[in-house]
Amino acid sequence: MNYRHDIRNIAIIAHVDHGKTTLVDAMLKQSKVFRDNQVVGELIMDSNTLEREKGITIMSKNTAVLYKGVKINIIDTPGHADFSGEVERVISMADGCLLLVDSVEGPMPQTRFVLRQAMAKGLKSIVVINKVDRDNSRIAEVIRLTENLFLELATSVDQLDFQLLYASAREGIAVSKLGMKGKDIFPLLDCILEKVPPPQIKSGPFQMLVSNLDYDSHKGRIAIGRIWRGRIAPRDSVAVLSSDGTVTHYEIGEVFTYLGLKRMKIEEAEAGDIVAVTGLEEVSIGDTIASLDLPEALPRIEIGEPTIEMTFGVNTSPFSGREGRFCTTRQLRARLHGELETNLSLRVQDTDSPDTFLVKGRGELHLAILIETMRREGYEFEVSRPEAITKIVDGNLVEPVEALTIDTKGEYVGVLTEMMSKRQAQLTDMRNDGHDNIRLEFHIPTKGLIGFRSAFLTATRGDSIMNTIFLGYEPWRGEIVTTRGGVLVASEPGIAVIYGLNNAQERGDTFIEPGTPVYEGMIVGMHARLRDIPVNVCKEKKKTNIRSSTSDIAVKLTPPIIFSLEQTIDFINNDELVEVTPENIRLRKKLLARAQRLRNIASLRRSIKA
Ligand SMILES: Nc1nc2c(ncn2[C@@H]2O[C@H](COP(=O)(O)OP(=O)(O)OP(=O)(O)O)[C@@H](O)[C@H]2O)c(=O)[nH]1
Ligand SMILES: [Mg+2]
């Protein structure tokens, strides 16, 4: 067996926000892959617009640094559980991982998930206790909890032997012993060179697994992955082995490797390296690219199943086609199917209605990011409330169940446990750090989490953090009675005016500004009681000859509640939809005409009685 001593391949994994991308910043900046005067900013790898806006990593990405003559290929991964499909698919490119653990939060649900993945792939772990600069860090306790996690997850004894470092990614320093004064990130890079095994090279003709795809308007599709065997050069003839067993022959266009933020064109790459190649028109993630001499497929990447689903349909509101560039069924279908190429944990199915597709994902955020991306590209469509995906296993109905971790304060524990029990959650653990910081852990069916996030933020006044992670399927626990209040529904089309909105505000909280065009059946507000209430927000004050008193003219409206896209998805009920266009996000009843809704309720009542 041969080794590439000039290369290391590592994946950076952790729970959301524990500092992965910030650590990559430090490695890139200090290893001088940028020109001295180059302005590079922060969270450099979070290059996608939505990533920058939200401050989270959504897609995993490759980069590399040169250190002491060795190229360290780095894979930055997302930490949010909804994007864990990304971690599953790229982790196989690496031989080692940096597991980051926040010095205050300690191991979190996603820490366990990604470490289990890394262990299953046999990666060598380096644990980095990050954010040691934080005032309230509790390093000894965090180390103990991390060790417990290793004891629980290790599949062999040598996996228990991990290297420990302490870092402040933000300050760009790492040290190997607690209490040492750090000055740079190099102790971490040295540790990678020493502890992460160099890639092994199997002898034989070229073979590479495609772990990622990119697209370039000039170069076309770009396949990214690790070379397991042999070497590759521009104009080589190769076979692409796809999942259905078909073998297609291509000529490689160009070959690139990574350094910093650049892809560098090279004349030849060898086993052990991570490369990007062009020239393959039809190639998917999970395919093997191999030499024609020995076209053998590598094991495909296995990715966990989606847990929630919602429909994406052509916009059927009276405003349809006004604001979007792509509004037809054909365009919607093509866009959704195109997404499947890179968004591996997503599924798209046809439904009974030709204008509606069932889209399945890993969580509400996973689907919300897709919706937001499409809307910005100019798509207009409507989506339904997300539902947990149930299955029949051995004749029994089962549903997805998740572990929910809540970090909160003592004063909210009562209200939270009450909310949880209505949602069929079971308390599995509760810890108090002695400073009134309380961590609650629950097992909860996924259906109980839908609509929970906004209620949670309201109940705890934005003062608490929640995280979830998929556990598995368990027997169906029965329906949950939803507790959301009713909504204020526009009874007339037109333009909302102050007078009409002011009247509506006597019934509840409103969602729109004066001047907003509305249609009958559009949801313009909410109220505490269960029933929906029709309101005419377009109603003008009757004109009279008598001058109205000044108090009458200066009507003061309460500012509207403006939901984010995620909040609207979380908010709507089964008989409601979210209308998404590049310019607006509107909430509506599925049945727009009030008479129709009333008939529907009456017929539902009759069928229940019968
Ligand atoms: N105090 C402190 N804050 C840090 C440190 N490292 C990162 N942060 C902050 O933590 C937040 C999250 O950092 P990111 O690097 O985006 O975390 P991440 O793990 O890449 O997050 P995801 O990719 O979304 O999972 C940012 O506000 C960082 O500035 C650190 O060493 N100390
Ligand atoms: Mg990140």
Side-chain angles (χ1 to χ4, degrees):
M1 205 54 99
N2 282 322
Y3 292 90
R4 287 283 305 264
H5 290 283
D6 59 336
I7 290 182
R8 299 291 185 281
N9 296 318
I10 55 155
I12 307 203
I13 58 176
H15 184 76
V16 67
D17 266 0
H18 282 195
K20 299 173 287 300
T21 308
T22 308
L23 187 70
V24 178
D25 279 357
M27 296 202 260
L28 286 170
K29 286 176 181 167
Q30 293 184 35
S31 63
K32 299 256 184 264
V33 289
F34 304 111
R35 291 187 319 274
D36 280 344
N37 58 354
Q38 197 171 348
V39 181
V40 285
E42 267 155 36
L43 298 177
I44 306 166
M45 298 299 285
D46 287 345
S47 46
N48 157 302
T49 341
L50 272 181
E51 291 182 323
R52 298 208 74 85
E53 279 175 27
K54 293 187 178 287
I56 55 167
T57 304
I58 297 170
M59 285 171 291
S60 59
K61 287 174 220 72
N62 288 85
T63 182
V65 299
L66 267 180
Y67 181 66
K68 296 189 174 166
V70 177
K71 182 167 73 168
I72 305 175
N73 283 314
I74 302 169
I75 309 156
D76 185 24
T77 67
H80 196 289
D82 279 25
F83 309 117
S84 46
E86 288 286 305
V87 186
E88 292 171 51
R89 106 188 146 143
V90 295
I91 209 166
S92 59
M93 283 190 269
D95 300 295
C97 66
L98 299 186
L99 178 75
L100 266 62
V101 186
D102 184 305
S103 72
V104 178
E105 287 194 354
M108 292 291 284
Q110 189 68 3
T111 316
R112 175 191 308 264
F113 177 86
V114 292
L115 182 61
R116 181 180 290 134
Q117 298 276 327
M119 296 262 186
K121 290 267 167 4
L123 305 192
K124 177 79 191 169
S125 310
I126 296 173
V127 172
V128 181
I129 307 291
N130 190 33
K131 308 197 187 182
V132 291
D133 56 286
R134 285 181 71 172
D135 291 340
N136 42 353
S137 68
R138 43 181 195 124
I139 297 172
E141 173 70 357
V142 168
I143 293 174
R144 194 182 63 77
L145 294 170
T146 308
E147 281 168 350
N148 288 350
L149 197 61
F150 271 81
L151 275 173
E152 181 193 326
L153 297 176
T155 54
S156 67
V157 181
D158 47 305
Q159 283 188 334
L160 291 176
D161 165 40
F162 59 86
Q163 191 67 35
L164 194 58
L165 281 101
Y166 308 88
S168 168
R170 191 186 269 172
E171 290 166 7
I173 52 184
V175 292
S176 56
K177 283 206 182 60
L178 204 54
M180 268 167 74
K181 191 154 170 48
K183 57 180 197 305
D184 49 39
I185 205 74
F186 300 135
L188 176 61
L189 298 180
D190 284 321
C191 180
I192 293 170
L193 296 197
E194 192 189 327
K195 296 291 175 186
V196 175
Q200 278 186 7
I201 324 179
K202 300 196 188 104
S203 57
F206 177 70
Q207 191 187 37
M208 134 176 187
L209 182 68
V210 180
S211 302
N212 214 344
L213 285 181
D214 202 351
Y215 188 82
D216 179 292
S217 49
H218 298 294
K219 301 186 167 77
R221 197 171 281 206
I222 303 173
I224 300 157
R226 172 167 172 174
I227 308 177
W228 288 95
R229 217 169 57 186
R231 47 186 64 213
I232 184 85
R235 289 172 302 284
D236 278 359
S237 294
V238 294
V240 171
L241 316 167
S242 69
S243 60
D244 58 3
T246 52
V247 179
T248 321
H249 291 188
Y250 289 104
E251 182 179 282
I252 294 284
E254 293 170 317
V255 180
F256 300 87
T257 52
Y258 289 87
L259 189 66
L261 302 183
K262 286 196 290 279
R263 266 203 282 261
M264 299 201 312
K265 208 157 128 175
I266 51 168
E267 284 314 307
E268 188 177 65
E270 262 185 275
D273 210 348
I274 293 172
V275 295
V277 298
T278 65
L280 315 167
E281 270 159 49
E282 284 293 324
V283 62
S284 304
I285 294 172
D287 290 356
T288 300
I289 310 173
S291 152
L292 300 183
D293 298 337
L294 192 58
E296 288 174 328
L298 286 157
R300 290 195 79 82
I301 303 169
E302 299 283 346
I303 292 211
E305 293 286 305
T307 50
I308 69 162
E309 61 189 20
M310 65 200 290
T311 61
F312 280 50
V314 165
N315 187 8
T316 56
S317 99
F319 294 170
S320 123
R322 286 195 195 172
E323 293 164 2
R325 273 196 293 149
F326 311 111
C327 312
T328 67
T329 309
R330 196 173 48 82
Q331 287 163 331
L332 187 61
R333 160 187 280 274
R335 178 64 183 81
L336 288 173
H337 281 271
E339 183 70 21
L340 296 177
E341 284 189 5
T342 48
N343 205 334
L344 286 203
S345 39
L346 199 78
R347 304 278 183 280
V348 177
Q349 270 174 17
D350 289 334
T351 65
D352 298 341
S353 151
D355 297 334
T356 308
F357 305 94
L358 191 62
V359 180
K360 305 183 179 196
R362 274 283 181 94
E364 282 169 286
L365 187 61
H366 185 205
L367 294 176
I369 294 286
L370 173 62
I371 295 169
E372 184 62 34
T373 308
M374 287 174 60
R375 161 175 128 82
R376 290 182 186 204
E377 289 168 1
Y379 286 83
E380 175 177 319
F381 50 100
E382 63 193 25
V383 299
S384 70
R385 174 188 156 91
E387 299 280 346
I389 299 175
T390 55
K391 304 196 282 197
I392 305 280
V393 174
D394 300 330
N396 300 313
L397 184 62
V398 293
E399 63 177 333
V401 174
E402 304 188 37
L404 166 69
T405 309
I406 294 177
D407 285 306
T408 188
K409 297 277 177 202
E411 60 181 297
Y412 302 122
V413 169
V415 53
L416 284 173
T417 40
E418 195 188 321
M419 284 166 83
M420 287 283 94
S421 75
K422 285 191 185 141
R423 292 168 179 268
Q424 302 178 344
Q426 288 155 347
L427 185 68
T428 52
D429 197 9
M430 174 162 155
R431 258 174 277 161
N432 187 334
D433 72 348
H435 303 280
D436 199 38
N437 297 310
I438 301 199
R439 177 170 293 181
L440 303 168
E441 286 177 22
F442 297 91
H443 285 185
I444 178 168
T446 302
K447 64 169 187 258
L449 282 168
I450 293 166
F452 175 66
R453 194 174 292 266
S454 50
F456 167 79
L457 290 176
T458 316
T460 62
R461 300 193 193 94
D463 208 12
S464 306
I465 304 173
M466 62 173 271
N467 280 287
T468 59
I469 186 155
F470 175 64
L471 281 177
Y473 276 84
E474 287 179 16
W476 170 251
R477 298 186 192 173
E479 290 294 344
I480 291 178
V481 188
T482 51
T483 47
R484 197 203 74 186
V487 287
L488 307 181
V489 186
S491 58
E492 311 282 331
I495 305 286
V497 293
I498 295 183
Y499 185 76
L501 282 170
N502 189 47
N503 286 343
Q505 289 193 339
E506 282 164 18
R507 319 295 299 269
D509 300 322
T510 52
F511 294 163
I512 56 170
E513 301 270 6
T516 308
V518 300
Y519 50 79
E520 181 184 2
M522 187 166 139
I523 297 172
V524 293
M526 63 178 176
H527 72 131
R529 262 167 267 145
L530 276 180
R531 207 163 47 87
D532 290 349
I533 294 177
V535 290
N536 182 3
V537 287
C538 309
K539 188 174 176 182
E540 304 267 7
K541 187 169 164 48
K542 274 226 185 66
K543 299 253 182 351
T544 58
N545 290 331
I546 307 157
R547 273 185 56 186
S548 37
S549 71
T550 38
S551 66
D552 227 296
I553 296 170
V555 174
K556 264 249 184 246
L557 283 180
T558 316
I561 300 178
I562 307 286
F563 280 153
S564 70
L565 174 65
E566 281 144 79
Q567 285 168 328
T568 60
I569 297 170
D570 208 55
F571 176 80
I572 56 170
N573 271 341
N574 283 335
D575 62 339
E576 296 162 358
L577 294 168
V578 180
E579 174 186 356
V580 185
T581 81
E583 284 162 37
N584 287 292
I585 295 169
R586 302 187 186 92
L587 288 87
R588 54 166 283 193
K589 300 305 283 188
K590 270 187 187 161
L591 299 175
L592 293 178
R594 173 141 192 263
Q596 220 181 349
R597 289 198 300 276
L598 292 175
R599 268 202 301 281
N600 195 48
I601 293 174
S603 79
L604 271 177
R605 288 221 175 98
R606 272 198 300 280
S607 68
I608 291 170
K609 268 192 202 145

